[in-house]
């Protein structure tokens, strides 16, 4: 394996995650792979505050021995519901290294979705922090099969119930399933995206080549490890390029720049919401403080924005305030994250566009499948090594999403300009994207309909400068029944969690419908605007 990537060749430097870790452990065992800034404030050993490539290999081998003691077989699903830290990173990589399938759970998903995912994924074992133990325990008790729950500290590791054992090494192949991620669709039930070892390496390569990553580069990861963005862009990107990552417990507007500066990071991956927070905080500083911070950030190569469209005004303002170029990108869970990226400076990108294809083929098609001419709107299609294997237990939707030639329907409306830059103009699907979370309106509808006072319900996303989109809902209540917005909001919160609970719930006498009786969400938004409610 070459010590540095050929940034014009998207072939991964190894065929599996195991081979990649083993090769770097052999070539550069003392080189840093991960640093954990929050561990500085935890009562743990100093050895747990950093992770070299040699130590990474030792740790994933140790975890493999614990998996074997628990009876985990090749291809079994291993889940975790943890905040970011040393433990979630090692569980993610050890599962892939051992030939198992990582199936992370998203704490923001809400209780009903957690119930569904645990059942549908066939997971055998779940590692959970004490914060989520009762929630997971309640979900597991509803299932007909047993799932082993292991309480884990995000810094010091799992409380393993059995000692590790030695087991014969299991062969791992590039086409083996590696990751099972659940993402919302236009129906209420999330779909399980199956990604192979090769898919994940391709996703990492797309990031590494688009952003010209080298072994000397160091990323800051503040996005949750239960998201494809963190997994493929901020972990696999450094891993395939032999670089390193600073992994905090999560985003902190007060600590973010300290992590970047103190750990000598060269890039970071964030979402538009975080960019807005950083801008707002900078505005509160004195002129002297602003100048001092900007000077200390002079070694940052770039910041990366993904998961939701970045408003051009926010994009330009951030670059002006901090002097750091922001590279806007676009990715999907189904494509192992990044498929589009603006080029790296000094090459020129375009505000309002997530860029051009890197490591992928891109085209825009009309409703008949014909490729659209430059400047014409249609559905964005993508093909490449990063495209998922399938939707778990859902061959019908898999066939609808990936055509016989390997092109994946993204469901996004877009146009392409004469330079190959893609501009997203809308969505064929009705997904709401808030803080990088895909939210199905139908899921919110179903919860509202389950309230005894509701006869009609419709959720929509509206543009929001902080979150990309915000969730709102409109309802019709039964005659003569009284129910408040707060009551409905609390009802949703208990079933959906904070992210998916509508910010506002508006009451209508009747929701707008089409000839077939289907609620027309766009007309609902128009009516809210007409009444000056949004």
């Amino acid at each position: 394996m070459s010590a540095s990537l050929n940034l014009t060749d998207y072939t991964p430097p190894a065929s599996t995650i195991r081979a990649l870790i083993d090769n770097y452990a052999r070539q550069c065992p003392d080189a840093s792979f991960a640093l954990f800034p929050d561990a500085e404030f935890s009562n743990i050993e100093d050895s747990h505050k950093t992770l070299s490539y040699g130590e990474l290999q030792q740790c994933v081998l140790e975890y493999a021995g614990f998996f074997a003691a628990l009876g985990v077989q090749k291809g079994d699903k291993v889940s975790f519901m943890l905040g970011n830290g040393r433990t979630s990173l090692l569980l993610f990589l050890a599962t892939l290294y051992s030939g198992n399938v990582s199936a992370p759970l998203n704490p923001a998903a809400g209780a009903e979705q957690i119930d569904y995912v645990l059942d549908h994924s066939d997971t055998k074992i779940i590692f959970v922090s004490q914060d989520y133990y009762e929630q997971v325990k309640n979900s597991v008790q509803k299932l007909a099969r047993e799932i082993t729950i292991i309480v884990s500290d995000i810094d010091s590791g799992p409380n393993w119930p059995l000692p590790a054992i030695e087991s014969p090494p299991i062969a791992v192949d590039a086409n083996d399933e590696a990751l099972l991620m659940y993402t919302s669709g236009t129906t209420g039930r999330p779909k399980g995206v199956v990604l192979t070892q090769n898919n994940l390496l391709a996703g990492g390569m797309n990031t590494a080549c688009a952003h010209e990553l080298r072994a000397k580069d160091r990323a800051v990861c503040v996005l949750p490890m239960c998201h494809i963005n963190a997994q493929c862009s901020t972990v696999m990107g450094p891993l395939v390029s032999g670089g390193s990552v600073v992994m905090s417990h999560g985003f902190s507007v007060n600590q973010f720049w300290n992590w970047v500066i103190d750990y000598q990071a060269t890039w970071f991956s964030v979402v538009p919401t975080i960019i807005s927070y950083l801008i707002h905080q900078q505005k509160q500083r004195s002129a002297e403080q602003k100048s001092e911070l900007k000077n200390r950030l002079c070694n940052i190569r770039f910041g990366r924005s993904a998961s939701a469209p970045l408003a051009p005004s926010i994009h330009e303002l951030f670059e002006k305030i901090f002097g750091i170029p922001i590279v806007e990108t676009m990715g999907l869970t189904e494509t192992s994250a990044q498929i589009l990226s603006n080029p790296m400076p000094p090459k020129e990108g375009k505000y309002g566009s997530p860029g051009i294809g890197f490591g992928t083929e891109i085209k825009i098609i009309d409703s008949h499948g014909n490729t659209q001419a430059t400047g014409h709107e249609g559905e964005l299609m993508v093909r490449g090594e990063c495209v998922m294997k399938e939707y778990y237990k859902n061959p019908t939707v898999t066939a609808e999403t990936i055509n016989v030639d390997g092109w994946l329907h993204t469901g996004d409306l877009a146009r392409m300009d004469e330079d190959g830059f893609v501009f997203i103009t809308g969505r064929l699907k009705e997904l709401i994207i808030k803080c990088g979370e895909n939210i199905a309106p139908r899921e919110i509808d179903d919860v509202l309909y389950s309230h005894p006072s509701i006869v009609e319900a419709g959720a929509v996303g509206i543009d929001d400068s902080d979150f990309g989109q915000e969730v709102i809902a409109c309802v019709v209540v039964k005659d003569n029944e009284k129910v408040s917005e707060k009551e409905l909001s609390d009802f949703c919160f208990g079933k959906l969690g904070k992210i998916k609970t509508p910010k506002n719930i508006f009451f209508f006498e009747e929701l707008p419908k089409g000839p077939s009786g289907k609620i027309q969400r766009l007309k609902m938004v128009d009516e809210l605007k007409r009444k000056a409610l949004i």
Side-chain angles (χ1 to χ4, degrees), residues 459-481:
V460 294
I462 59 171
D463 291 341
D464 183 273
S465 59
D466 290 328
F467 302 120
Q469 286 191 302
E470 184 56 270
V471 183
I472 63 170
C474 298
V475 297
V476 176
V477 299
K478 290 180 180 178
D479 291 340
N480 302 320
E481 293 203 10

Side-chain angles (χ1 to χ4, degrees), residues 234-248:
T234 335
V235 172
M236 295 308 301
L239 188 61
V240 299
S241 57
S244 56
V245 57
V246 178
M247 178 155 294
S248 68

Side-chain angles (χ1 to χ4, degrees), residues 98-167:
S98 304
N100 307 123
V101 180
S102 182
L105 296 173
N106 186 349
E112 290 191 0
Q113 184 165 314
I114 296 296
D115 293 350
Y116 173 78
V117 170
L118 281 174
D119 185 28
H120 187 265
S121 67
D122 301 315
T123 194
K124 297 290 185 69
I125 184 170
I126 175 168
F127 297 84
V128 349
S129 66
Q130 195 64 54
D131 293 343
Y132 305 124
Y133 176 76
E134 287 299 325
Q135 180 182 352
V136 170
K137 179 183 175 182
N138 291 337
S139 292
V140 169
Q141 288 175 341
K142 300 173 186 177
L143 302 181
R145 72 178 198 284
E146 290 188 4
I147 298 178
T148 301
I149 304 174
I150 297 179
V151 176
S152 307
D153 183 87
I154 57 178
D155 294 314
S156 59
N159 297 325
W160 298 104
L162 297 171
I165 62 172
E166 289 190 17
S167 60

Side-chain angles (χ1 to χ4, degrees), residues 418-435:
E418 62 279 2
D419 298 317
F421 282 78
V422 173
F423 290 81
I424 305 300
T425 57
R427 295 188 184 92
L428 285 173
K429 302 175 183 179
E430 294 177 329
L431 283 179
I432 302 166
I433 302 182
K434 176 183 177 182
C435 298

Side-chain angles (χ1 to χ4, degrees), residues 112-377:
E112 290 191 0
Q113 184 165 314
I114 296 296
D115 293 350
Y116 173 78
V117 170
L118 281 174
D119 185 28
H120 187 265
S121 67
D122 301 315
T123 194
K124 297 290 185 69
I125 184 170
I126 175 168
F127 297 84
V128 349
S129 66
Q130 195 64 54
D131 293 343
Y132 305 124
Y133 176 76
E134 287 299 325
Q135 180 182 352
V136 170
K137 179 183 175 182
N138 291 337
S139 292
V140 169
Q141 288 175 341
K142 300 173 186 177
L143 302 181
R145 72 178 198 284
E146 290 188 4
I147 298 178
T148 301
I149 304 174
I150 297 179
V151 176
S152 307
D153 183 87
I154 57 178
D155 294 314
S156 59
N159 297 325
W160 298 104
L162 297 171
I165 62 172
E166 289 190 17
S167 60
I170 300 170
V172 180
D173 184 76
N175 294 318
D176 285 346
E177 296 177 3
L179 181 63
L180 176 59
M181 288 288 293
Y182 282 81
T183 182
S184 292
T186 53
T187 62
R189 292 298 191 188
K191 302 189 294 291
V193 176
V194 177
L195 299 171
T196 65
Q197 296 261 337
N198 182 58
N199 291 153
L200 296 182
L201 290 171
M205 287 299 297
N206 289 352
T207 300
C209 291
H211 301 325
E212 302 173 7
L213 298 182
R214 304 286 190 180
K216 63 182 180 182
D217 281 307
R218 177 169 291 169
V220 171
C221 180
V222 294
L223 302 177
M225 278 294 294
C226 58
H227 276 205
I228 198 70
N229 192 328
Q231 294 159 352
C232 275
S233 297
T234 335
V235 172
M236 295 308 301
L239 188 61
V240 299
S241 57
S244 56
V245 57
V246 178
M247 178 155 294
S248 68
H249 287 173
F251 175 68
S252 165
V253 71
N254 293 320
Q255 292 297 324
F256 181 80
W257 292 125
N258 291 334
W259 296 330
V260 170
I261 294 166
D262 294 345
Y263 289 88
Q264 300 177 322
T266 60
W267 68 284
F268 54 83
S269 182
V270 292
V271 296
T273 306
I274 290 177
I275 290 175
S276 294
Y277 283 143
L278 293 172
I279 289 172
H280 178 74
Q281 186 202 48
Q282 184 72 341
K283 288 179 178 179
Q284 310 307 312
R285 294 188 170 103
S286 68
E288 183 179 353
Q289 289 172 327
K290 292 175 183 177
S291 177
E292 180 185 1
L293 177 60
K294 190 172 182 179
N295 289 336
R296 297 182 70 191
L297 297 174
C298 61
N299 293 323
I300 308 301
R301 290 180 54 219
F302 69 99
R304 174 183 180 277
S305 179
S307 297
L310 179 61
S313 59
I314 298 295
H315 191 161
E316 188 172 9
L317 181 59
F318 182 94
E319 293 181 335
K320 180 180 179 181
I321 288 176
F322 294 105
I324 299 172
I326 290 291
V327 178
E328 187 174 5
T329 68
M330 177 181 172
L332 308 168
T333 303
E334 287 89 342
T335 59
S336 315
Q338 188 165 298
I339 57 173
L340 298 169
S341 175
N342 276 268
M344 290 296 294
K347 298 173 184 175
E348 290 189 10
K350 296 189 178 184
Y351 290 144
S353 168
I356 60 177
F358 279 89
T360 56
E361 296 177 78
I362 300 293
K363 66 179 180 179
I364 312 293
I365 64 168
D366 62 19
S367 58
H368 301 291
N370 302 311
T371 300
Q372 291 282 58
T374 298
H376 288 257
E377 185 183 74

